[in-house]
Amino acid sequence: SDLFEKAHRDGDRVTSSGSAKQCTVFLLDIFSGTAGVAASFIQLGGDALGMDHMVDKKRMRGPIAKTDLCKKETQDQVISWLEQGKVDGVMLAPPCGTSSRAREIPVFESGRKRAAPRPLRNKRWPNGIPSLRGLDALKVKLANKLYAFTRRVIDTCVRLHIPFICENPLRSWMWETTFFSDLPDECRFQCIHSCMYGGQRLKQTALLLNFEASNLKLQCNGKHQHLPWGKTLSPHTGQTVFSTSTEAEYP
């Protein structure tokens, strides 16, 4: 809350004559990761704050408030900011780990199939496969809390005419959950291919938003090559990781 208030205070500009200018447009970057969206928004002249439960200080690109978005009090605070008119735009990128279709792809090493993260959702059970137990069941439960919160933010933004973007992979099971059914008429879907914006792989990303964004519709023109999916080395740790993790940040 203190970081949010500071970001708003910093939004007040003072002219050479000493008079205060109107506060600039403020963006709330929820599930911000490294806060790349917040950083870019600030670079373009706005003010922004990222929010996430994990903060890697070495990779932070913009201001981030470390907070547990599963907690009701945190969720209520965000809704309060929206309703008080403190936020002019919202970016949402809910974690897609439990909804990733990559879990359905068999993993081979040295020609042998090995155990891989198993699917936690499917077409019949997009809210979570009922037979899940232990850590897998907990992961889905927490993810669903965040999806429910995301829908609450979306409905609030629509009601208050606050522009928002919600992002997830095009084939993410998140879009099939009950939390994204019966969306308001103001909502629309768009799809972009990250390779047209500087990405190295053909990643198809769906955007749910309540305004027209004609610059976020480019799809692959076939005039360049893509890196393959599978396993690769992390540019940050040097460890072997799934390439989906290296494509998590926006190009």
Side-chain angles (χ1 to χ4, degrees):
S1 180
D2 291 342
L3 185 56
F4 178 86
E5 296 300 334
K6 180 181 183 300
H8 261 274
R9 288 197 302 271
D10 290 348
D12 293 326
R13 304 289 185 250
V14 178
T15 65
S16 57
S17 63
S19 61
K21 289 175 63 178
Q22 186 177 2
C23 185
T24 54
V25 179
F26 189 90
L27 174 78
L28 197 57
D29 184 8
I30 304 175
F31 313 114
S32 59
T34 59
V37 171
S40 295
F41 200 81
I42 292 170
Q43 188 176 32
L44 290 170
D47 285 309
L49 176 66
M51 301 183 72
D52 217 322
H53 74 295
M54 291 181 63
V55 177
D56 185 342
K57 293 185 178 180
K58 293 181 180 179
R59 296 176 59 197
M60 279 177 56
R61 297 168 60 190
I64 306 176
K66 183 178 180 181
T67 184
D68 186 353
L69 289 163
C70 280
K71 291 185 176 180
K72 185 178 184 302
E73 55 265 35
T74 304
Q75 296 180 3
D76 289 345
Q77 181 67 76
V78 170
I79 298 301
S80 175
W81 289 338
L82 295 172
E83 292 182 334
Q84 291 174 29
K86 293 184 176 182
V87 177
D88 302 297
V90 178
M91 179 72 198
L92 297 144
C96 64
T98 66
S99 294
S100 175
R101 296 285 188 99
R103 288 177 170 272
E104 302 166 17
I105 302 173
V107 176
F108 294 89
E109 287 185 355
S110 302
R112 294 184 178 181
K113 184 177 179 180
R114 75 163 187 83
R118 63 170 176 160
L120 305 181
R121 307 174 189 266
N122 56 35
K123 189 170 184 61
R124 183 181 180 186
W125 305 106
N127 279 26
I129 298 172
S131 60
L132 295 176
R133 295 291 182 273
L135 183 58
D136 286 340
L138 178 61
K139 287 179 178 179
V140 170
K141 180 180 179 180
L142 294 177
N144 285 348
K145 277 190 175 183
L146 297 178
Y147 294 169
F149 168 56
T150 297
R151 176 59 187 269
R152 189 179 170 197
V153 171
I154 288 172
D155 287 342
T156 304
C157 285
V158 168
R159 175 168 55 85
L160 299 175
H161 306 291
I162 299 172
F164 78 85
I165 297 178
C166 181
E167 174 271 328
N168 238 236
L170 178 65
R171 299 180 70 245
S172 170
W173 286 118
M174 184 190 81
W175 302 120
E176 305 294 327
T177 64
T178 55
F179 309 105
F180 289 84
S181 63
D182 300 320
L183 289 164
D185 292 338
E186 291 85 348
C187 295
R188 66 186 73 189
F189 276 102
Q190 296 180 190
C191 177
I192 61 172
H193 292 177
S194 63
C195 60
M196 295 299 290
Y197 297 86
Q200 300 184 75
R201 291 178 174 84
L202 179 55
K203 181 184 178 184
Q204 302 179 79
T205 299
L207 305 174
L208 175 68
L209 60 170
N210 61 342
F211 63 97
E212 178 65 31
S214 57
N215 60 327
L216 292 176
K217 292 183 177 180
L218 292 180
Q219 299 191 8
C220 184
N221 58 14
K223 296 183 179 180
H224 49 257
Q225 293 185 328
H226 305 115
L227 291 182
W229 294 101
K231 287 199 166 185
T232 187
L233 294 179
S234 168
H236 306 292
T237 65
Q239 297 179 327
T240 300
V241 296
F242 286 102
S243 54
T244 49
S245 67
T246 66
E247 297 294 325
E249 291 188 47
Y250 308 121

